Amino acid sequence: MRLRFWVRLLALLLLLTLLAACTSVSNREAAEAYYNLGRAYFDLGRLDDSQRAYRRAVELDPELSVANYNLARLYIEEGSYDEAEEILNELLDDDPDNTILHETLGWLAYRRGDPTAALESYRTSLELGVGNAVVWYNIGLIHRDQERGADALEAFSQAVYYAPESLLYRRSLAGEYARAGELQEALDQLYPLYAAGRRETELINDLCGYLIDFEEYAAAYEVVEEVLAASSDDLAQEDERRERGRLYFYGAFSLLIGFERADEGLEYLETALEFGFIEQDELAKLLEYPSVPGAEEIERVLRDRGIEQASVPPPVGSGRDNDGER
């Protein structure tokens, strides 16, 4: 994938060199070439180069609105909010019913720390085009930040309605249900994706976590075993090993607490720790069940790694939130 971007970049640079040597090329053609160069730099993460290319595109053709818009987005990402707002308002003067422009002004206001203005722009965008899942999701994030649970639940529900295959939106909605203590509804958001064959790490973690919170240990163990059976043994990255360890932890919890099968559960627990699963709040939950078979051995295994019972158990659904607006 990275090689393809570099090939594309080199091709664009060659094109610009040829255009520079051609006296008959129009400003529009050159502007479009610089616009494409800006996109290529953006895909490579070279934001400064991308911004310079977009600026050159706008210099050559101020009417190239897509370059102006992308330049505004880059200004937002670097915190140059006034410059971004000026461009977006100029574009709105020419196209006042453009839902994307209103949406982007909402994102700009949110980044500025003005959620009220952000909601106003987002709602204007929805009035012009109600089916925008991204806008509903961003509204949900603002409501969640301000601890307006019912409003967040409604907004995330709308996002899922308009984009039912989005894991991001379903995870956010599930998290809101979990915070409200409605774990079955949280599970109902995730199971359809799992049943359809989706196996993203975030999906599996959320699903297993909620199943354990809901004391559906058999279902959690079944998910763990299915995913482990289909997983590759080639774990080159440390984060891959930790995620494998998390799976074994969910299996250990199900076996030790749900099935009370101490020997198998301890084996899973040891494997989880060997893979680098070291989240103390999660591991400490095992110490909240002193009467299960093998409790003393569980305590010894965790104590050897400096893990003791948490003074206050984490709330239901904690650790499974999704942050980050677009």
Side-chain angles (χ1 to χ4, degrees), residues 267-300:
E267 184 177 338
Y268 269 65
L269 179 58
E270 292 278 10
T271 303
L273 295 168
E274 289 170 6
F275 272 113
F277 183 75
I278 55 174
E279 294 191 21
Q280 296 203 8
D281 285 346
E282 295 291 298
L283 291 165
K285 290 180 182 180
L286 292 168
L287 302 175
E288 297 171 13
Y289 302 87
S291 62
V292 297
E296 291 183 1
E297 185 64 13
I298 295 170
E299 184 178 356
R300 183 195 64 77

Side-chain angles (χ1 to χ4, degrees), residues 17-296:
T17 301
L18 294 173
L19 288 174
C22 180
T23 57
S24 62
V25 67
S26 69
N27 278 6
R28 180 71 178 192
E29 290 173 306
E32 289 177 350
Y34 272 104
Y35 164 72
N36 289 327
L37 182 63
R39 290 185 59 192
Y41 277 133
F42 183 86
D43 290 338
L44 290 168
R46 294 172 56 174
L47 301 188
D48 288 343
D49 290 329
S50 179
Q51 187 180 110
R52 280 191 288 272
Y54 285 139
R55 281 176 176 163
R56 182 57 179 150
V58 172
E59 288 171 3
L60 289 166
D61 186 356
E63 301 303 314
L64 188 59
S65 59
V66 67
N68 271 296
Y69 173 76
N70 284 355
L71 182 58
R73 287 300 305 241
L74 284 172
Y75 278 141
I76 293 173
E77 294 309 309
E78 72 174 21
S80 300
Y81 303 129
D82 290 344
E83 291 86 343
E85 187 174 34
E86 182 179 356
I87 291 173
L88 292 171
N89 284 330
E90 288 176 356
L91 292 173
L92 271 176
D93 287 341
D94 294 330
D95 190 4
D97 293 337
N98 190 306
T99 61
I100 294 176
L101 293 176
H102 287 287
E103 173 190 337
T104 307
L105 279 170
W107 172 230
L108 185 157
Y110 182 85
R111 287 287 300 268
R112 265 181 169 160
D114 190 348
T116 301
L119 286 174
E120 183 178 347
S121 290
Y122 284 143
R123 286 169 180 149
T124 300
S125 179
L126 288 176
E127 289 170 3
L128 296 168
V130 68
N132 191 326
V134 172
V135 172
W136 279 114
Y137 171 70
N138 287 347
I139 289 173
L141 289 179
I142 293 173
H143 286 314
R144 191 183 72 186
D145 289 348
Q146 299 183 339
E147 299 184 357
R148 295 198 293 258
D151 291 333
L153 195 64
E154 171 62 22
F156 289 143
S157 295
Q158 290 292 326
V160 170
Y161 176 81
Y162 289 112
E165 300 305 312
S166 170
L167 175 58
L168 177 63
Y169 302 162
R170 282 187 176 267
R171 289 185 67 212
S172 299
L173 180 56
E176 213 54 50
Y177 274 127
R179 267 183 291 279
E182 301 179 36
L183 286 171
Q184 184 58 61
E185 286 77 5
L187 291 170
D188 288 345
Q189 292 304 314
L190 302 178
Y191 252 122
L193 299 183
Y194 180 79
R198 301 274 292 270
R199 293 296 183 268
E200 292 95 326
T201 297
E202 297 85 357
L203 171 62
I204 301 305
N205 288 343
D206 284 6
L207 187 56
C208 288
Y210 292 137
L211 286 168
I212 285 175
D213 288 343
F214 206 41
E215 298 184 357
E216 292 285 351
Y217 300 116
Y221 184 70
E222 181 179 352
V223 170
V224 168
E225 291 298 281
E226 286 181 357
V227 175
L228 285 174
S231 297
S232 168
D233 292 330
D234 183 18
L235 301 174
Q237 303 297 322
E238 184 177 348
D239 57 343
E240 294 176 331
R241 292 183 56 81
R242 280 198 300 269
E243 289 304 325
R244 181 65 55 85
R246 182 184 293 276
L247 270 178
Y248 275 103
F249 166 74
Y250 289 137
F253 202 104
S254 300
L255 289 166
L256 291 168
I257 309 304
F259 299 142
E260 299 189 352
R261 286 155 49 180
D263 290 342
E264 292 174 76
L266 283 165
E267 184 177 338
Y268 269 65
L269 179 58
E270 292 278 10
T271 303
L273 295 168
E274 289 170 6
F275 272 113
F277 183 75
I278 55 174
E279 294 191 21
Q280 296 203 8
D281 285 346
E282 295 291 298
L283 291 165
K285 290 180 182 180
L286 292 168
L287 302 175
E288 297 171 13
Y289 302 87
S291 62
V292 297
E296 291 183 1

